[in-house]
Amino acid sequence: MEGVFTGKEAYRQHFDPKGFFNVYPPLCAVIQEMFHKTFFVDGIRGDTLIDIGSGPSIYQLLSPCEFFREIIATDLLEQNRAEIQKWLKKDPEALNWTPMVKYVCQLEGDREKWKEKEEKLRRTIKQVLPCDVTLANPLDPLVLQPVDCLISSFCLDSVCKDLPAYCSAVKNVGSLVKPGGHLIFVVNVEITYYMVGPHKFSCLCLTPEMIRDAVKGAGFEILWSQSLGLLTPVSVCDAKDTIFLVAKKPSETQ
């Protein structure tokens, strides 16, 4: 499978949300610290935030739910969207995000407010939509008003076969952001694959310079980026580093 691009159909057939949940989210504490800094310290806020490629996850939305009236979760895969809906509806079979919720509440100063945090996020997630970042409008056929902030974590590099496709995808998702709005990427560096259960999924091998150039090429100014180091065990992923990047689309008056 080395060197073979795993396209959309392979994801639809083989991506197991529970297998993903059992390995990757518990490793994301340092990412939560970055989201806490971005929203609580740097003060990024607004009306609407969209998360592109949410997977089956809600951990990345725990900090921004305090600063946005509406959050839209999205994913290509029906099985991932179904897992988010289970959590929203308190389905007893839903993935258990409570340990991560408690950690975020601890960052915010009160670990015991985790139940309130869960309810706040459930109220704030207004839609869970299909998306495809390879389309000029990733939410096609739905057309949304441009949003104040867009998050995308570990998404675009896993669905783009080459650098031109990646740059195009960054432009596609960037078009969803209004002038003056923010884009936040969490991207694996120099990764070629990751494992979910027995299945290997290919990734585009990107350097930090390629990532930054793609963001700038999509019309954004990079405010800051930080290397987070290696977050995943080598047994499931060959990433060399992880980059957390915050960028801003210039306002129309600039």
Side-chain angles (χ1 to χ4, degrees):
M1 172 119 184
E2 186 100 26
V4 176
F5 176 67
T6 45
K8 300 172 191 176
E9 195 54 40
Y11 271 90
R12 292 188 178 103
Q13 291 184 17
H14 300 303
F15 189 92
D16 174 25
K18 289 184 173 63
F20 174 85
F21 171 81
N22 289 335
V23 174
Y24 294 97
L27 307 170
C28 290
V30 66
I31 297 175
Q32 288 298 159
E33 294 168 10
M34 292 296 99
F35 280 127
H36 178 77
K37 174 189 184 305
T38 301
F39 296 103
F40 277 81
V41 179
D42 295 351
I44 291 178
R45 60 198 63 212
D47 225 12
T48 303
L49 177 145
I50 190 166
D51 182 30
I52 295 294
S54 304
S57 307
I58 55 88
Y59 73 88
Q60 68 277 17
L61 305 175
L62 291 165
S63 292
C65 76
E66 301 294 338
F67 300 99
F68 291 84
R69 181 183 59 82
E70 173 185 24
I71 288 176
I72 301 167
T74 73
D75 201 76
L76 174 70
L77 301 182
E78 182 179 356
Q79 62 263 43
N80 283 339
R81 301 193 302 271
E83 286 298 335
I84 295 175
Q85 292 286 9
K86 283 182 186 178
W87 186 83
L88 291 174
K89 296 172 182 176
K90 301 183 182 180
D91 188 312
E93 298 299 314
L95 301 174
N96 179 19
W97 293 102
T98 298
M100 185 63 75
V101 178
K102 288 181 178 179
Y103 180 72
V104 171
C105 289
Q106 181 176 313
L107 291 176
E108 295 173 8
D110 192 347
R111 185 180 177 87
E112 299 309 310
K113 288 190 175 179
W114 63 271
K115 289 184 179 178
E116 292 94 325
K117 168 70 82 173
E118 287 188 346
E119 291 311 306
K120 177 69 176 288
L121 182 54
R122 286 188 173 101
R123 291 194 304 271
T124 307
I125 297 176
K126 305 296 187 184
Q127 300 182 80
V128 182
L129 301 176
C131 78
D132 183 343
V133 302
T134 66
L135 302 177
N137 171 17
L139 304 176
D140 186 73
L142 188 65
V143 177
L144 290 184
Q145 291 294 314
V147 302
D148 300 284
C149 186
L150 182 145
I151 291 175
S152 188
S153 305
F154 309 117
C155 173
L156 276 63
D157 59 320
S158 63
V159 296
C160 294
K161 189 172 185 177
D162 53 32
L163 186 57
Y166 180 78
C167 293
S168 178
V170 174
K171 289 178 181 177
N172 294 343
V173 301
S175 70
L176 301 174
V177 181
K178 67 171 59 172
H182 290 85
L183 178 147
I184 301 166
F185 275 175
V186 188
V187 189
N188 279 319
V189 173
E190 295 182 29
I191 182 175
T192 67
Y193 77 91
Y194 69 102
M195 304 292 297
V196 178
H199 298 287
K200 180 182 281 189
F201 295 92
S202 63
C203 291
L204 180 63
C205 186
L206 296 167
T207 65
E209 292 73 22
M210 290 174 179
I211 297 163
R212 295 186 186 103
D213 286 348
V215 171
K216 289 186 283 190
F220 287 81
E221 299 173 351
I222 296 174
L223 301 181
W224 60 274
S225 65
Q226 184 168 331
S227 167
L228 305 183
L230 182 60
L231 303 181
T232 52
V234 295
S235 58
V236 296
C237 170
D238 70 345
K240 304 299 186 293
D241 194 1
T242 303
I243 293 289
F244 191 99
L245 181 148
V246 179
K248 183 175 183 178
K249 181 178 282 190
S251 62
E252 291 173 336
T253 56
Q254 285 183 284

